[in-house]
Structure formats: structure tokens, C-alpha cells
Amino acid sequence: MKILIADDEPVQRRVLESWLVKWGHEVVVAKDGAEAWSVLQADRPPLLAILDWMMPGMNGLQVCQELRKSPGRPYVYTLLLTSKNRKQDLVDGLEGGADDFLKKPFDSGELKARLETGMRILTLQADLVFASNHDALTGLLNRRAILETLHREFVRASREHSWVGVLVADLDHFKEINDTFGHLRGDAVLRRVAQIMQSNVRVYDSVGRYGGEEFLIVLPRCHLMIATERADQIRRAVNKQCSVEARAITLSLGVTADSGHSEMERVLHVADAALYRAKREGRNRVEFDTVAESAFNADIPQVRFDL
Amino acid sequence: MVQPTDHSAELHLNIVELVARVNNDQELLRELLQLFKEECPRLLRSLEDAVFKEEMKSVETAGHTLKGMLASLSATRAASAASRLEGVGRTGKHSQLQEALAALQSEVAALLPEVDAYLEGEKRGCADGFALGSRG
């Protein structure tokens, strides 16, 4: 994995680097705390950092403290290198946000073991983050994560003067499928539909499970007509590729698009109203609407989302 | 518990420990010793400068860095001398500055020829005979 080494002392820095390279890691080297901090602020930062405690300027502990003050950034596991051995120093270090210590001059076996502990914790951390953002059944983004994605894309669209396509999809007669074939088959249908949706969008589009058999799809840089075409492509793909014992599975979709300037709740409301219309007009179809026109549309159902 | 006789304390540069630390990578070992030869005089100068000006904080930091470098090279005796100077800087004992610096200077002065001898021996391809062989 990618590991940062921050140490002002060149001999130890070189020894550390050579061990890490030998063990197959990608190493980023910083000669002081300030350089380490800027490496950690960049895109795709190393998630494991070996920091010498005493460095001129910003020291290793200060780097830890700054890291812990940066919510929303990926978690960086920090291993503080120290020759300090008073109990109070260790307590200060841990309270400052260091995850572990390595005493200088270090032993390579101990370094390896401590790195493995760090990597284990980072893996657990990544698993937790994944689980908190994804739906366990389908592997799609969960409701909270897809709404966050939508919000992010709205902000981006308004900044870049572009559009976001919003699709709300709902499986037709899903309750019947569950009742007729059982919940296990119903779950398999949800998983299959999720796969079909994922394979019919671009890599930068996002698909989320919005409710029981309902999905929300966010298409960045996509105006209404393109979004509607995409919705119909998804509808046809599900129709063709998903069935239970010769019974075709169908999908209804409501589509809208926005420049990121409308209220997000309102945009979702419009897409939902279009979906409602698709259901009412016979299912297995796509309906669309613009946010502005729908302002005069009276048959909008009750808001069903809480953000 | 009976400890095996440890000869390493007699040496300024504990090559056995150092070779183990670099996993017997002779090329890396050479590189580290070269690095030390370049960096050590610079660090020592800044330390001497700090002692001369009695800037205790600088004595502490430069002493700390030098200690780390020496310890990384398994130069235990010189590392202790640097550690002592670091302590003098931290505790602000001006009266001990000169003596602690002199002790460090003499340790480094004894260390450098060993480093050179090792590098020379390496160059001649008889490194295994040096320091290691005689300790059996």
C-alpha cells in the first residue's frame, strides 16, 4: 500500500524506505512535518503515515493533531517514531491522535508487525465505510449515500452551469412477485435489476437503492432528453434480461433534470410525480417532467423523502 | 539469566547489528554510511554553532537528530554522547555544554575511521573479514 515516511534524519529515513520497498509498499518521502502535511492534503493521500515525532517546524505529533481535526478526509493511520520513553510522552502522543508508536532505533520485525496492525485497522475502517454507504442486498449505494451523491452533483452542476439527470425507478408488481415466488426469489430479482442498472449507466453515474423496490439514479452532466433516453434504455434492458419463471420483470421510471438551482426535495418530488404517472398509465414505461413546468402540476403525491 | 558476552560495546560502529538492520543488504549499507559521512559534519557544525551561542533549544534539536542518525547506524557510544548533549540542551545546563560537546566530538572522531575502514574494506571485497570475522 501507499505509505508516507516523514523524518528529517536521512539515515533512518533511508532505512525505513528500503524496508517498506522490500515489503512491496509504495513509499512517499517527506523531509519534515510541513512537507508531510501537504502530502496528506493532496488527492489520494497515503492512508498510513510513519511520522518522526521530533522534526523541526511542524513535528510528527502536530501532523497527527491536524489530521484528527480534518473531518471528511479519509482516515490516516499514524505510527509515531520516537525515542521518548516516558509514560507521559506516550499518553500525550495517543491523546494527540497517534494510533501507535515505534521506538527508535526500530527493529524491522517490530516495524512489520506494527504496519500489519495498521493495515488491518485500515481494512476494517474501509469495510465499515463501505457498509455504511451501501445496500447489503444489492451492493448499490444506500438511500443516504445516493441522496448525498445527488446533493454533491447539484452543487457541481450549479457551479459548472450544467445539468443533472434524476431517475426514480420502481419495479412493477413487485409485491406479487414476492407473494408468488417467495422473498428469496424477490431478493434475487432486486439483485439482478441492480446489476442491469449498473451496466446500463456510465462509470460516473450513480445508482442507489432508494426504498424496497425503488431506485434512484443520478446522471451528472445530463439534460432531460438524454436522461429520458437513458431511462428507456434501462427499462428495455430490465424487460429483456430479467424474468422469473418466464414472467418478465418490468420497471417504471420517472425522469427529470435540473441545473442544480432548484431545491433538491422539489426535484425529487417532480421525478416521483412522473413515476406515479408512468404507473397510472399502465406501467413498464418512462414519464418525464421539467421542474419549472411541474410547478403548476396539481397531482403531485405527498413527499415521501426525508433528508 | 546469563547473557552472552557482548563485544559490541567496545566498537564504535556495531557492524553486526547494522548488517542485521539492513537485512544484509551491502549496497544499502554503503549508501547509509556515505549518507552519514555527508550529513554528520553538517549536523556536528550546527551543533557546535548552537553550543558556541548557547542556544539551548538548537542544542536539543540538533543533538536529537544526530542521536537518531547515530542510533540508526548502531553507533551506540556516539549516540549516547549525542543523547547526553540533547539532555543538556533540554535541561538548560549551560555549565555542561562544553564537556558534553567534547565527548561527542571525540566519539564521532573515533567513529569516522571505522566507517571509512568499512567502506574501504567493502571496496576491496573483503568486508566479511573485517570486524565480523575477528568476532567469530
Side-chain angles (χ1 to χ4, degrees), chain A residues 166-177:
Chain A
V166 180
L167 278 54
V168 182
D170 192 275
L171 284 174
D172 297 327
H173 303 297
F174 188 65
K175 190 177 177 311
E176 266 177 57
I177 294 161

Side-chain angles (χ1 to χ4, degrees), chain A residues 199-261:
Chain A
S199 56
N200 278 279
V201 295
R202 305 162 299 178
V203 284
Y204 37 89
D205 296 334
S206 304
V207 184
R209 188 169 175 206
Y210 196 38
E213 69 265 31
E214 205 172 1
F215 303 88
L216 179 61
I217 302 172
V218 178
L219 310 172
R221 294 178 191 171
C222 217
H223 58 70
L224 186 57
M225 282 303 109
I226 300 288
T228 306
E229 279 169 27
R230 179 71 61 182
D232 205 52
Q233 179 191 331
I234 291 168
R235 183 193 63 77
R236 280 182 277 121
V238 168
N239 224 327
K240 209 165 128 190
Q241 297 168 30
C242 186
S243 61
V244 185
E245 293 182 14
R247 176 180 169 157
I249 300 297
T250 64
L251 190 68
S252 298
L253 296 105
V255 184
T256 192
D258 195 76
S259 58
H261 294 289

Side-chain angles (χ1 to χ4, degrees), chain A residues 9-12 104-105, chain B residues 12-14 17-18 21 32-33 36-37 39-41 43-44 47 62-85 103-105 107-112 115:
Chain A
E9 194 277 283
V11 173
Q12 178 172 261
K104 297 192 291 188
Chain B
H12 292 95
L13 186 63
N14 186 345
E17 192 181 300
L18 185 52
R21 179 160 293 148
L32 296 180
L33 292 175
F36 169 72
K37 279 185 64 178
E39 290 292 322
C40 183
L43 273 169
L44 204 52
L47 199 46
H64 179 84
T65 309
L66 197 54
K67 175 186 77 179
M69 183 187 283
L70 292 162
S72 294
L73 288 172
S74 302
T76 324
R77 294 176 48 155
S80 327
S83 176
R84 177 155 173 246
L85 196 50
L104 175 63
Q105 284 167 326
E107 285 298 337
V108 171
L111 175 65
L112 282 169
V115 171

